[in-house]
Amino acid sequence: MIFFKPINNIKKIMMLFVVASSLLGFSVSVYAENTNPSNVIIVVNTTDKNLSFSKQQIRHIYMGGAMSRQFKAVNLFVGNPLRINFNTRMVGLTESRIQAYWAQMRFTGRSKPPVEFESTEEVIEYLLTVEDSVAYLPAGITIPKELTIIALN
């Protein structure tokens, strides 16, 4: 009987592997849906309803460039799939590279990172109260009429 116990353990290990693999596949497919570039829109609180930003201009706003003096960038929390998508597709950097950059900017006193919020509802609330604030949001979300969706060039 001792001979059969390792076989039962192997069956348990295989079962755990199958379950873990299926869960991993599910989480990868959910993440893949959130990383589709068409799932992100850029919204700004401005009086100029004809305003348009290029990808490079948005990158400058989020990385503390000259345009960040006029427009205030807003981020979702670190690890949010929408933020990961935005950073990868629009800013062109990984989260760790961006965090290292902002650590250096804070240390030298040259610039401050964008404000962060936990939810899109908090982001929209902030956008509505702070003029010239810019944020990325999931496509399909209801945008208040006071905000402008920026068309990317």
Side-chain angles (χ1 to χ4, degrees):
M1 281 202 219
I2 296 175
F3 178 74
F4 293 106
K5 282 194 175 187
I7 292 175
N8 286 339
N9 287 339
I10 290 173
K11 286 182 182 178
K12 288 179 185 176
I13 291 171
M14 291 301 291
M15 186 59 117
L16 284 171
F17 177 74
V18 169
V19 170
S21 297
S22 64
L23 288 174
L24 180 62
F26 174 74
S27 65
V28 168
S29 67
V30 169
Y31 177 75
E33 289 174 12
N34 288 329
T35 58
N36 184 342
S38 65
N39 287 344
V40 177
I41 57 173
I42 311 299
V43 180
V44 64
N45 177 354
T46 183
T47 55
D48 183 1
K49 297 298 181 187
N50 296 320
L51 190 64
S52 177
F53 289 151
S54 68
K55 182 177 177 178
Q56 189 66 27
Q57 289 172 315
I58 293 168
R59 184 178 198 270
H60 280 279
I61 292 169
Y62 273 85
M63 296 304 291
M67 287 188 73
S68 69
R69 290 179 186 91
Q70 179 183 355
F71 296 97
K72 297 155 199 75
V74 180
N75 259 335
L76 288 168
F77 65 93
V78 174
N80 182 297
L82 194 63
R83 178 175 171 154
I84 293 168
N85 178 26
F86 175 79
N87 286 339
T88 304
R89 306 269 184 200
M90 294 300 295
V91 178
L93 297 171
T94 63
E95 185 64 39
S96 60
R97 300 260 329 257
I98 291 171
Q99 293 296 324
Y101 170 81
W102 283 115
Q104 182 181 13
M105 292 295 110
R106 278 191 304 263
F107 180 75
T108 59
R110 288 188 276 184
S111 191
K112 292 180 182 179
V115 295
E116 291 184 7
F117 293 100
E118 292 292 319
S119 69
T120 55
E121 292 81 15
E122 291 175 331
V123 170
I124 291 173
E125 205 174 293
Y126 180 84
L127 286 170
L128 289 170
T129 59
V130 179
E131 192 172 338
D132 292 328
S133 54
V134 178
Y136 51 90
L137 295 169
I141 193 169
T142 303
I143 304 295
K145 63 180 177 155
E146 298 86 7
L147 302 177
T148 304
I149 297 174
I150 302 298
L152 302 176
N153 296 335

